[in-house]
Amino acid sequence: MNERETLKNVDGKLVVGGVSCESLSKKYGTPLYVVDQCYIENMCTVFRDTLKSEYGDGMIAYASKAFSCKEIYRIVNRMGIGADSVSGGEIFTAKSVGFPMEKICFHGNNKTLNELNLALDCGVGLIVVDSFYEADLLNSLCEQKNTVQRVLIRVNPGVEAHTHHFIQTAKVDSKFGFSIDNGDALEIIEHVQSLSNLKLEGLHCHIGSQIFESKSFILAVEKMTDFYKLLKEENGFEFDVLNLGGGFGIWYADGDSKKSCNDYAEYIKLISKTLLDCVNRKGIKKPFLILEPGRSIVGEAGLTLYTAGAVKEIKNVKNYVAIDGGMFDNPRFALYQAKYTVVSANKLNEPKNFKCTIAGKCCESGDIIAEDCLLPTVNTGDLIAVLSTGAYNYSMASNYNRNLIPPVVMVKDGESRYAVLPQNYEDLVRNDV
């Protein structure tokens, strides 16, 4: 467990945000998403203040696909950072709580006509263009509305990074962006520059996710600034903005680096230092720098509580602990065998001598949350906690098998409150005809 002041073992009980998980389960029931608000605020502060002190002109834009609801937009707005959105729904949610639209970057490889209209009508700050079709459609909509939209273009710099590995590649096979290496990026840049109702502010790239290897970020900065220099010297283009995306890794299980909030400042310092050096060395304009952390802001802030049901012991084969949740509230293991740390929230100090697989309640043999977990002997009714579920759990949840999506509860300073109310069965049939 990656313990901190707001997530710790207190006399064998798991306590988050000053509230015991046992008391949360009694008050709200299970399954339950629990989110440590203080952790989120600390991460926002670290990213925001480090960027300002180390680089100057820039913006942290929370990658809201990691976890989107009204309350998270209220929090990040109070913390003075922007957001990136990837759908009309995320834009609408942010706007519904008064989030400043000029601080939103709108991403996506196939934004719909309705979504682009919504973004323009709301006054979204930057739209990241991802195809010739989208550029032409957006320009046409802007002409109709007699407006000019600030845009970035997503490019592929030839750097791929995931978890502890990265490679430099000329790979062009991606549904996102335009390759620098094969000339596609230059072609779309020239095209967008020719459109009278789009103002090209700069470029965007995103090299991967769950990245621990810092060299990948250095290489991405070098490749992008090389391209900026080339565009200046050969095409006369100088840009005001550089968006380097996000992808900072978090702790999920053994093998992942355990970082404090302050440790993440090192990523921002490294990117800032590298970019400032490249600007001076290559003679290009210092761009407004946008970074888009998402998972690293909310991932470790979240945990999910379940109640153990049936315990199935298959002699000399495997033990299963069935929980009252499953792939409808956390599909990540079923999708790509994501690893998690599982603990018995009410038995943290007891010997961990029971090896088991945590199985969900869905009618799918692949409905697994975690395998080969070492827990104290599990009894029906025990409280099971899965850690680091703040990112891509609630946001990917579904009503599969007509299960209810769990509510979200925020905890801070010993207090708890709903951020997302529980569903009921009437919610399931509300739109049925």
Side-chain angles (χ1 to χ4, degrees):
M1 195 164 76
N2 190 16
E3 291 194 39
R4 55 183 185 267
E5 182 58 31
T6 55
L7 179 69
K8 55 189 176 181
N9 178 344
V10 179
D11 299 326
K13 312 293 185 182
L14 184 62
V15 174
V16 57
V19 187
S20 76
C21 288
E22 275 191 321
S23 67
L24 289 170
S25 68
K26 289 175 182 177
K27 183 175 180 179
Y28 299 101
T30 61
L32 180 68
Y33 296 116
V34 182
V35 179
D36 178 357
Q37 182 177 334
C38 188
Y39 186 89
I40 292 173
E41 291 171 345
N42 289 342
M43 287 299 299
C44 290
T45 299
V46 165
F47 283 137
R48 180 198 68 209
D49 291 353
T50 307
L51 181 62
K52 182 177 180 180
S53 64
E54 298 294 323
Y55 186 79
D57 297 329
M59 180 178 73
I60 299 296
Y62 166 65
S64 52
K65 68 175 183 172
F67 171 52
S68 179
C69 67
K70 288 184 175 183
E71 185 61 10
I72 193 65
Y73 289 113
R74 293 189 190 104
I75 292 171
V76 298
N77 187 33
R78 287 199 302 270
M79 301 312 297
I81 67 175
D84 89 48
S85 298
V86 294
S87 72
E90 289 182 357
I91 292 172
F92 183 86
T93 305
K95 183 174 174 56
S96 72
V97 294
F99 194 90
M101 292 290 103
E102 70 275 9
K103 294 174 71 173
I104 283 187
C105 299
F106 183 26
H107 294 270
N109 69 301
N110 191 33
K111 306 174 190 72
T112 67
L113 175 64
N114 288 340
E115 287 176 324
L116 289 173
N117 268 318
L118 176 65
L120 292 172
D121 292 343
C122 289
V124 163
L126 286 166
I127 296 178
V128 183
V129 172
D130 214 311
S131 69
F132 284 91
Y133 161 76
E134 181 177 285
D136 292 338
L137 176 60
L138 181 58
N139 186 67
S140 175
L141 294 175
C142 288
E143 285 180 339
Q144 296 170 27
K145 297 174 186 291
N146 194 28
T147 188
V148 175
Q149 175 63 46
R150 298 169 61 231
V151 300
L152 305 178
I153 292 172
R154 179 160 180 171
V155 303
N156 298 328
V159 180
E160 290 181 282
H162 297 278
T163 313
H164 297 281
H165 307 285
F166 81 96
I167 57 174
Q168 183 174 359
T169 173
K171 179 182 176 183
V172 297
D173 181 11
S174 172
K175 78 170 192 175
F176 295 110
F178 299 86
S179 172
I180 290 175
D181 293 318
N182 72 352
D184 286 351
L186 177 58
E187 187 177 352
I188 184 64
I189 288 169
E190 291 177 335
H191 180 68
V192 171
Q193 291 281 38
S194 72
L195 300 176
S196 57
N197 287 81
L198 301 185
K199 185 177 188 299
L200 181 55
E201 298 275 0
L203 305 180
H204 167 272
C205 75
H206 178 72
I207 61 173
S209 61
Q210 189 60 3
I211 303 169
F212 291 104
E213 177 52 74
S214 59
K215 291 179 183 177
S216 55
F217 294 109
I218 295 175
L219 186 56
V221 174
E222 288 284 357
K223 295 273 283 188
M224 291 298 289
T225 52
D226 281 345
F227 192 47
Y228 271 42
K229 179 183 178 182
L230 180 69
L231 291 169
K232 175 186 176 181
E233 293 176 349
E234 296 192 5
N235 303 90
F237 298 149
E238 279 198 289
F239 296 135
D240 295 322
V241 178
L242 175 60
N243 186 330
L244 290 170
F248 311 129
I250 70 166
W251 174 87
Y252 280 108
D254 292 341
D256 294 333
S257 298
K258 290 186 175 183
K259 296 179 180 294
S260 68
C261 289
N262 289 330
D263 289 335
Y264 283 91
E266 297 306 313
Y267 284 116
I268 309 302
K269 289 178 181 178
L270 178 65
I271 291 170
S272 298
K273 179 181 177 181
T274 305
L275 181 54
L276 288 172
D277 174 68
C278 287
V279 165
N280 293 329
R281 180 160 40 88
K282 300 174 186 181
I284 59 175
K285 179 190 293 187
K286 179 185 175 184
F288 184 87
L289 174 60
I290 300 175
L291 297 171
E292 297 174 331
R295 186 198 315 257
S296 53
I297 289 179
V298 297
E300 290 192 57
L303 59 87
T304 309
L305 297 178
Y306 304 101
T307 299
V311 179
K312 181 178 182 179
E313 299 184 48
I314 306 174
K315 190 174 181 179
N316 299 322
V317 179
K318 184 179 284 190
N319 301 317
Y320 286 97
V321 173
I323 55 172
D324 51 356
M327 63 191 294
F328 61 92
D329 63 75
N330 183 356
R332 293 184 69 247
F333 184 91
L335 286 173
Y336 34 75
Q337 290 73 58
K339 294 187 181 301
Y340 285 101
T341 295
V342 180
V343 300
S344 293
N346 56 332
K347 297 179 176 180
L348 290 181
N349 292 343
E350 295 187 17
K352 299 173 180 60
N353 51 15
F354 185 67
K355 188 175 182 180
C356 60
T357 288
I358 308 299
K361 65 186 294 291
C362 292
C363 192
E364 292 282 349
S365 58
D367 180 18
I368 302 296
I369 297 297
E371 291 184 311
D372 299 330
C373 305
L374 278 177
L375 299 175
T377 300
V378 179
N379 299 310
T380 299
D382 281 350
L383 187 59
I384 304 296
V386 181
L387 306 181
S388 299
T389 61
Y392 306 109
N393 280 237
Y394 173 76
S395 63
M396 298 174 74
S398 75
N399 291 123
Y400 184 56
N401 286 174
R402 289 255 152 159
N403 283 295
L404 303 177
I405 296 174
V408 180
V409 168
M410 290 276 180
V411 291
K412 182 180 180 182
D413 297 333
E415 303 289 335
S416 65
R417 59 190 170 81
Y418 278 121
V420 179
L421 293 170
Q423 288 187 334
N424 59 43
Y425 288 131
E426 286 299 320
D427 295 323
L428 292 182
V429 300
R430 193 174 311 281
N431 293 327
D432 289 2
V433 178

